[in-house]
Amino acid sequence: MTATGDGAPVLGAAKDVSRQNLSGSSVMDGSSSSKVTVEYHDPSGLFPLVQEQLSLRLPLRNLHWKSPNRPLRSIDSLHVDLVPSKDSVHISGVTSPGLAPPEGLHRTSSSQRMSGPTSSEIIRPPSKERRHQIPGLRQTPYLKIYLLRCDDSDTYKSTARKQLREWVKTHTPPSQSSSSSSTQENHDAFEWMILHVVIPDTPAASQPRGTASSGAATGEKEKSSTTSRWTRGTTTILEKIRADFNISSKSAPDRVAQVRLQKDAVPPHMLPSTSTATSPPINESPQEQEKVWNDVIVKFKTLILLSFDLRVSQYEEDIREKDSQRALPGWNFCTFFILKEGLAKGFESVGLVEDALLGYDELSIGLDTIVRDQSDEGGQTQGGAILNYSEDIHERASEILKRSQKDDGGRKEPQAHLHDEKPISSQKKNYRDLILSNNISIFDFRSYVFARQMSLLLRLGNARSTGSDLAAKLQPRPNTGVLQRSVDDVNVGTKHATVLENSEDLLSLAELCSRAIHFITSASRLLRDDLLNGAIAHETTFPKRLVDNLVRSWTFAALQQLLDETATSSLPISKFSKDAATSSSGKMRSFGNHSEELKVSVAEPKTMIHPTRSTSLNYGRSASADPPYAQPTSTGQVVFADGQYQDRPVPAQESIVPQAKSGLQELAAARAQLYVVERRILEHVGKSMGWNIGWAAIISSRVQKEDFRDVDLNRTSNDEEGGVAGLEAHSVTSPTVGLSAAQLVSGVSSIDQFRESYEKLSDLIVKHYMAAGQVKSGEGILGDLAALRFELGDFAAAAMYFGRMASLFSESRWNYVETTMLKMYAQCLKKLNRKDEYVRTLLNLLAKSAAHRMSLRSSLKRGSSSDMQEWPKEWLNDDKVDTTGVFSDLVEFSEHIPYDRTVPMTKYFGDIIVEPYVRHFDEKDGFQLRLQFRHVLEDEIEIERAKVQLISATSAQGKEIWLESSGTIKLKKGICRIWLGSNVNTTGPYMVDKIVIEAKRIIFIHEPFRKAEATTPLGITTSVSATSLKAAKKSRVLCFPRVEAFQARVYLSHFIHIDRPRSVEIECRSGWNDMQRAEIRLRSASAGLRLRTANTTVTSGEVTIEDKPNPGVIDIASMAPDTTATFRVPYELEQILPELSIKLEVVYFTDKGEFQYYSSFIIPIELPLDVNVHDHFKNESLYSKFNIKTANHVPLEILDVGLEESEEFGVFVPKRIKDSTLVFPKQPLSVTYKITKKPVDPNKRRQSRNPNTGSLALSVEYRCMNEDVLARVCELFATAVENSQVHRLGRLLIATFTDRLEHRILPHQYEKIALLDKVDMGTFEDMGWAECIDSLPHIIRGDTEKWLRNWHENNGLILLSTTPKLTSSVPGIVPPSPHPSRRIIITVSIPQTHILHTASLFLESPEQAPSHSTAIAVVGQPLLTELCIKHTRRWGWPSALVAAANLKSSDDAMDFVYSIEANPDVWLVAGQRRAQFTAKEGEEKKLPIILIPLKPGNVLLPNVEIRARVAPKGEQKGQSEELGQQLNCETDYLSYGECVMVVPDVRSSTIGIGEMASPRSVVWLESESRI
């Protein structure tokens, strides 16, 4: 694959002088022609006639080369340079206009032109050219073509055959020679070919291409008209040539081809004067002509690849041989280099640029080895010595020094330069001659190798600069007529040969930039050594400034050359903007117009001899297996519009969508590194002139740095005389002496230009880093720009840069540079009067300084004293920054901002902790906590206040508590301890939620525990992390008030009336407080609970309620010290709840200030007892039985039960119980009362319809065992605490004891306690005092734990006292409960019945048994009875009876129906079992009934049921029946339960008794009936 720029393929006759001599200077120029040469021998001047057809088909497409030891290689496009041989004939007027004759060919006369050349002129043996001893230094043709004009068979026999034999004999390639010595000529191997050009109107034009048999064999189709003229056995000229010159071998290629010219394409003077054809000419169709020419091109490709394969094989064999001789004496690396480079150039000439690059990489490694061995062996090495300096470089440096030492500095004379604008070039010197002569320095050798690598990488990258160079090389030669050129010649030899013009492989360009960084940095050192070694060799010295400037200038120019070469339109920031006075910006391009995305380059770690790169013939498999340079592009297989000889189908064209190219970021990053080195060189040059810029200018003015210098420990004092001398030896007038890079010289021409150049380079670096995605690196360069603007006083621009970097620096550490930058940023903002940003920047600066000090302290804590001695000195500690005065300035300046600025406290203070130990005030309620933190900054500041917020550790108490300091506090460096107080009294565990320090407008906040919500994978939302909760548990604060402080509790009222609103009671104890007024606030925490605070009453205590301003608020008057007041607050429930949750807050005022009390209460409201009643009506009274049982597992102690009479009913109370009675879950208490109706005036009775005076009230006084036991035991414990040394902790210990005891005793255990009258308290560990004791200060923990253990030992078993009046403290015996008993009143309604019947069944003449009063009856004998029935209407209201029975008056008689219900197996009822009767109130009815017993035994009398029969009322019969059904009628059957002894009807019986032993000794004889 070769490439041209804007020129066309060279198909013309002659080149210029330099190109004509193939073995001349062009052989040694060190460059590649990027194409293969094909030499044509044209004795008849036919080349201009075939030039047009060849130009349409060149360059060659889709060549595939396979070597035995290499994978398949694909060459998409190969350019061919057709050059004439020295013996070719140029006929004036015959060729295309302007075609120049070959060099040395004399023009012939017209007669000579007409007659044509003679045989001696045509066949002239070429002179034998002397072959160079080093292969690879010649550029010889790959193919030689003989253009034959033979018009007829006679001419062929007479002259043409002889000329061809001589030419073939002379130009037979070495591969076809049998001589063994010719194998060495394979370095210049070539093939030959005969092209027969048929002129129209000649006998040859009438001949077919072959006979029928041969044509069929070759696949050629002839017309029938021609085959009839040429009979079998006739041979054409083409067949004769093939038979004479083709090798008869199956593997031998066909070297003979024939083309026919059209008559209009041949000049008239070249046509025969008279037509000698005996038959009409053969006219070929365009398709046939195209096929013929394609066959010629196929032969071109085949023969060129054959010769190329021979050359590569020979080179590889020679390289292996030379490499095997490396250890032998006389082996020379330079000779080996030229040999191996010849192979690389061969690869490059056919477009295998990757293989050529791999060869140069291996040569570069070999050169490094030779140089290293030479350095180790002191200049003597096996591969030959390489010079340590270049003579021309020393001469130029000496000339520059000489001119600079003149009076005028050499300004009037032309300035000498060490290098030009492109210091890296393979044509800068005759490097190959220098290598061959072993007269090359290390610097030149490395420069040449890298230059070749650079050119190859640029070709792989399809760089624009390479395209321009190749276009210049492949421009049409002067006076050459070109009809058409290929559209992709510029891309020949690149990775993608037929892509769009803008397509570039950015990865290859990035690889070049990456290599350039390493080469230029090492080459600059080599150049310095070259200058020093040259000076020593010539016994002179160069000033240090001159050497530095020469090296910097060369480095800068090389960097700029690489940047220019790798500029691409895909990276529009590849060149910074310049004005017309400096240079052009023509290479600036915009993004877009790219057709494909290039792939990532894959390195080939294989040798050049045996590469294993995957073949690019990837048809039928994925192209991803190949490296990018082996993959065809989307248009790489298209040959013009035909493409008949394509080996692979054309891939489908994808839409061209602008997108980011692969490798763009890599290229941008690599170019950014080049710009960074350029800027560093500019800084060094400026520093040598006394100019500091950016950070260097700022830091130099702030920090005093020590001067360090490299010292060679192996150098003696005598060595000072050679090399670089100081400025004292040679005075250099100009500080820019030796600088020749245009941009560098312009950049240091003045301080303003120096700063402008620095800023331009920095801007380009930033843009490249951003394009590469390396944001942090770009931000670092922005810091340099900010420092530059700060130095220039452009504070607005500097602040803009600083602001852009603030977010980055706030998260990462840039140590000293970062903190210095923040200080500069703050100064800019202050000068710009940007208050908010100024404050924010100072806070960031202080945060960095504080973080360093805290990290330093933590390191010192972890390290030992020896580690502290090894801590870095002040000059090495780049984390330190001086912030003296910044903190105080920040606090003072914060007054100017309009709002508070909140910042995290942990960034500025360390070791923040709140001691979890409560300390009480001595003369007032409330408590204190101590806040401790470390002030690490230098400044002393004043804070207005410090606050700590506590939140409850349980969900029961949601009130927050704020503790606040009193007055201003001055903070000094070190540990700061501040006591914070609160006026709140509460009990319970709390956590520190927030710590606040206010310093004017700066608010420092610290939240020890995170409460951010987080969602688990299962979707469960958690508010606090487990780690935070664990830490909070360890450091939580257990708050409790003093024993003398205010106290309140809320409980359920001890009196409950079942028909009245229930209430809760609030008990307040003033303690030692002389309360002036107080405000009680109640808040319901239960859904549906309504507290009627407007109906609050005082039940005990000398206190008055002043006002009830709002719902839930009660204002009370003053309370004296040590007084107690109880308030009753009714409540209502919208739904049934088992317990109430009420939050109580009391705000009370004393002469010492305002105080608050917080607490929350859970109050169970379920009644602990159930009452059931069973009523039995009698004619004159009602008997009610009340069953009292417990509603849960806790026993009840019933103290008293009573039923109160009403206005209408009287109650006869049984004998009262003297002692209390225990009620257990399975042992209820039953009490029966006799209720009688009091006499009432009948008139009033009739007027009364729904009186409310008929209800009774059942009163039950009781105690719940759980409440009683807890209260009595806690009272015992409280008494013991008050009389001990831990009495100051009474509120905490009593509350903890109550809570632990309530959870320790289970409900079912109270039954055992009630039966045994004792409580097992367990041990100290069982009660769980550890958490409570841990919350106490260490100084009192031991005494408290000791006292608690002693109390548990003395009170392990507590007896419950049964003596009510026991008030003295007896060890081990608990006095009665201090709380009153509970009392409940239940309204008992007397059931209403309209009619009550009293019925009895009397026996008239029964037999009475002598031993008991039970009547005796005989089975089957009638038993006369009398049924007596009467009723009363006193137990119902007359009005209700009238309405229900449809009576006119309540005294009217009513119809009733009785029914006798008897068991038919026992009794036979004679008479009416069911009958109706009419009776008035009090009227007795007697009805005879006969009963006949059917079975003997003790049987019950039949039952009697009576119900009223309501008479219908006229037309309202249906309604009357309905009302009759509603009439309530009950029966009091007096004979219920009476029995009758039924005996058989036998008075006496006679039996006979026989023998006693006989089983049938008893015999029934007779019996006597009772009747």
Side-chain angles (χ1 to χ4, degrees), residues 234 238 283 410 453 485 646 730 828 1196 1270:
T234 304
L238 178 61
N283 295 324
Q453 292 174 329
R485 68 181 182 91
Q646 292 175 359
H730 293 278
C828 295
L1196 297 176
L1270 289 176

Side-chain angles (χ1 to χ4, degrees), residues 984-1214:
V984 175
N985 290 335
T986 187
T987 303
Y990 283 80
M991 296 186 302
V992 178
D993 180 62
K994 190 180 297 184
I995 301 173
V996 180
I997 293 180
E998 299 180 4
K1000 295 187 178 179
R1001 287 290 191 175
I1002 307 299
I1003 310 298
F1004 300 95
I1005 295 181
H1006 174 53
E1007 297 182 356
F1009 313 110
R1010 296 181 178 178
K1011 300 182 292 300
E1013 292 188 355
T1015 304
T1016 63
L1018 298 178
I1020 303 173
T1021 302
T1022 58
S1023 59
V1024 185
S1025 64
T1027 305
S1028 298
L1029 286 177
K1030 186 177 181 180
K1033 186 176 181 180
K1034 292 182 178 180
S1035 60
R1036 67 179 184 175
V1037 180
L1038 193 58
C1039 299
F1040 63 95
R1042 293 179 64 101
V1043 177
E1044 302 87 355
F1046 176 86
Q1047 186 177 6
R1049 70 184 183 100
V1050 181
Y1051 55 90
L1052 186 66
S1053 178
H1054 288 81
F1055 174 77
I1056 298 176
H1057 196 292
I1058 203 70
D1059 290 336
R1060 297 176 187 175
R1062 301 186 187 184
S1063 59
V1064 294
E1065 294 184 357
I1066 306 172
E1067 182 184 76
C1068 298
R1069 297 181 180 179
S1070 61
W1072 63 358
N1073 296 286
D1074 186 5
M1075 298 170 52
Q1076 301 172 357
R1077 62 184 181 88
E1079 183 180 285
I1080 302 175
R1081 300 172 183 173
L1082 293 175
R1083 184 163 59 91
S1084 170
S1086 299
L1089 172 61
R1090 295 181 180 179
L1091 298 172
R1092 301 295 184 182
T1093 55
N1095 300 329
T1096 303
T1097 58
V1098 179
T1099 59
S1100 65
E1102 298 179 358
V1103 66
T1104 59
I1105 299 177
E1106 292 184 346
D1107 192 12
K1108 304 166 186 176
N1110 297 313
V1113 180
I1114 305 170
D1115 292 342
I1116 61 176
S1118 61
M1119 286 183 64
D1122 298 325
T1123 57
T1124 303
T1126 305
F1127 306 91
R1128 179 173 296 170
V1129 182
Y1131 69 89
E1132 295 178 357
L1133 292 175
E1134 297 180 357
Q1135 57 185 357
I1136 299 177
L1137 297 175
E1139 59 188 15
L1140 304 180
S1141 179
I1142 299 177
K1143 296 183 183 297
L1144 174 65
E1145 178 181 352
V1146 180
V1147 181
Y1148 54 96
F1149 300 87
T1150 66
D1151 54 353
K1152 297 178 181 178
E1154 176 184 351
F1155 300 92
Q1156 299 178 11
Y1157 175 84
Y1158 296 152
S1159 187
S1160 60
F1161 300 91
I1162 304 298
I1163 306 171
I1165 59 173
E1166 290 183 336
L1167 293 178
L1169 55 83
D1170 288 337
V1171 178
N1172 296 328
V1173 60
H1174 178 70
D1175 297 322
H1176 184 73
F1177 284 95
K1178 293 292 184 180
N1179 189 31
E1180 298 294 337
S1181 62
L1182 171 66
Y1183 292 90
S1184 295
K1185 181 181 179 181
F1186 295 92
N1187 294 323
I1188 304 174
K1189 60 181 181 180
T1190 177
N1192 47 39
H1193 295 285
V1194 179
L1196 297 176
E1197 182 183 6
I1198 305 299
L1199 302 178
D1200 189 18
V1201 180
L1203 184 64
E1204 300 177 1
E1205 62 180 17
S1206 63
E1207 296 180 0
E1208 188 174 353
F1209 297 97
V1211 178
F1212 292 90
V1213 182

Side-chain angles (χ1 to χ4, degrees), residues 717-787:
S717 59
N718 297 329
D719 296 336
E720 297 292 336
E721 60 186 15
V724 177
L727 292 180
E728 295 81 2
H730 293 278
S731 174
V732 180
T733 57
S734 174
T736 60
V737 61
L739 297 180
S740 56
Q743 294 185 12
L744 184 59
V745 173
S746 175
V748 296
S749 59
S750 64
I751 183 63
D752 295 335
Q753 193 68 28
F754 174 65
R755 290 170 176 169
E756 181 181 355
S757 299
Y758 181 86
E759 184 176 7
K760 287 182 179 180
L761 290 176
S762 300
D763 182 65
L764 285 171
I765 295 171
V766 171
K767 291 179 179 178
H768 278 77
Y769 273 136
M770 294 303 177
Q774 299 180 7
V775 180
K776 290 189 176 181
S777 300
E779 296 289 350
I781 304 301
L782 283 180
D784 299 337
L785 291 174

